[in-house]
Amino acid sequence: MSEDPVIVAGAGPTGMVAALGLRARGVPVEVYEAEPEDRERPGSRAIFVHGATLRTLDTIHPGLGYDLAEEGMIWPTRRTLFRGEEVFSRTYENDRSAGAGLPPFTSLPQVWTEDVLLDTLEEVGIDVTWDTPVERVETRADGVTVGTGDGETREASYVVGADGAGSTVRKEIGADFTGDQSANSFIIADVEEVSDDPRPPERVFHYDDPDLGGRNLLIVPFQGGWRVDVQCKPDDDPERIASDEVIAEYTARALGERYRDRVEWVSTYQFKQVNAEAYTGEHDRVLLAGEAAHLFAPFGARGMNSGIADADAVASAIAGALAADVDAVARAEIAECAERRQRAGEWNKDAAAQALEYLQGESLVTKAKKRLAAAAADYYEPAGEWLDDAPYGPHGSPPVSIGQY
Ligand SMILES: Cc1cc2nc3c(=O)[nH]c(=O)nc-3n(C[C@H](O)[C@H](O)[C@H](O)COP(=O)(O)OP(=O)(O)OC[C@H]3O[C@@H](n4cnc5c(N)ncnc54)[C@H](O)[C@@H]3O)c2cc1C
């Protein structure tokens, strides 16, 4: 087995989980992060952590899934309105008693998740080398030479490229992104919670909200606040809607007057929908993971969640490759992981595209289906359930088997 460590580029959620996954499998690992330790990462971003992600975390570090679930909150109610009229509402039991197992999801700001992961890294003795970007990656059949921003050259057995959307590692292995971006713009605002607010913690989707000029509105609670997500119309000026005055007005209409001055962060997006054409490069010594490998629109919460699934898969493949006595077996471990996760990326991209197409769908058929479902919802519950569900794309995770079957 190589004496050299695995080098992980990037200490976002994907890189930190990859490092924990490698450590859990007994593999020496070093993490290099371009930004300084005292960085501030704005916005709540990946607030929705799927149950499958909690289970993955709890496997690689027992207790971690529960710690994260504890930090977050679970909104028990999903509700959908269509042009001012409620068309669906359902409330779930939320058993948080001891022994109830991991919850189906938890909702908290991404930076809190990152804090929990960083604490766990410290606990198991993995240091992050901050302020030290990976700049150069040269692969050979028997290892990787990595050049870092401090002018040093380091040897690694394998490299995990978890260095986010602008990934240097992806560029170094020559893997391009393919895909496109959403047609419409979205405005996303984080709103600080009002502690004595009687408003129930419910996720609400409002089609053609008359209070917002007929725009779609999504409201999602998370620990400490609310996300207000407004879908612009094709001829909207997103900067105008994101201005302090307009977003404060929209927030007051969406959540109530007490929230008018509680907008903490606002941003406009046209979502990229892209996947790297390959997740490994020559010699099968590098694996891409997370946003270094793919970017999806956030409907369905596939971003960080799939990054964490990538991270666990690359840790497993690298551990398998390092344990192999036969080079061809080691290469196959990496190549198969790269192919499996690349296909998963494609599946997730298509799933997010389905959600986007549904949300942006200007076709008469899509519009008519929504109107008919809204009209039927009062006496036919599945119609309302369909309206409630459709904005997030298909359920489930990507089929990950490869080969002939
Ligand atoms: C508005 C919004 C809402 C979202 N909502 C959700 C959601 O509900 N659920 C969900 O799952 N996802 C969501 N996402 C996506 C989620 O935020 C990202 O998928 C997640 O941050 C990706 O994690 P990552 O570790 O792959 O990349 P990043 O978080 O970008 O981390 C990459 C790290 O690499 C570092 N780096 C960059 N270059 C180098 C280099 N050369 N060398 C070393 N380090 C480097 C960066 O500084 C950074 O720390 C959302 C995103 C947005 C914008």
Side-chain angles (χ1 to χ4, degrees), residues 301-367:
R302 297 169 197 285
M304 186 179 79
N305 286 289
S306 72
I308 288 175
D310 290 339
D312 186 45
V314 305
S316 172
I318 290 173
L322 284 168
D325 284 332
V326 175
D327 283 351
V329 171
R331 289 194 67 155
E333 287 279 356
I334 303 299
E336 280 178 22
C337 174
E339 189 175 339
R340 224 181 311 120
R341 292 315 301 169
Q342 205 269 351
R343 287 189 191 190
E346 217 47 40
W347 192 92
N348 280 317
K349 179 162 75 92
D350 291 347
Q354 202 171 310
L356 267 179
E357 167 57 27
Y358 175 82
L359 286 170
Q360 299 176 152
E362 287 298 308
S363 84
L364 292 177
V365 176
T366 309
K367 285 181 167 176

Side-chain angles (χ1 to χ4, degrees), residues 8-16 32-35 39 41 44-50 110 114 129-130 132-135 162-169 188 227 265 267 269 271 289-308:
V8 175
T14 303
M16 287 195 275
Y32 293 87
E33 164 56 49
E35 291 185 339
R39 65 177 171 177
R41 306 193 88 193
S44 59
R45 292 180 298 147
I47 53 175
F48 190 93
V49 182
H50 285 288
Q110 182 172 323
E114 291 175 8
T129 307
W130 299 95
T132 309
V134 165
E135 293 182 342
D163 48 344
S167 174
T168 300
V169 177
I188 296 183
R227 169 171 297 169
W265 175 80
S267 194
Y269 290 95
F271 295 113
E291 289 207 333
H294 46 69
L295 299 170
F296 313 128
F299 305 100
R302 297 169 197 285
M304 186 179 79
N305 286 289
S306 72
I308 288 175

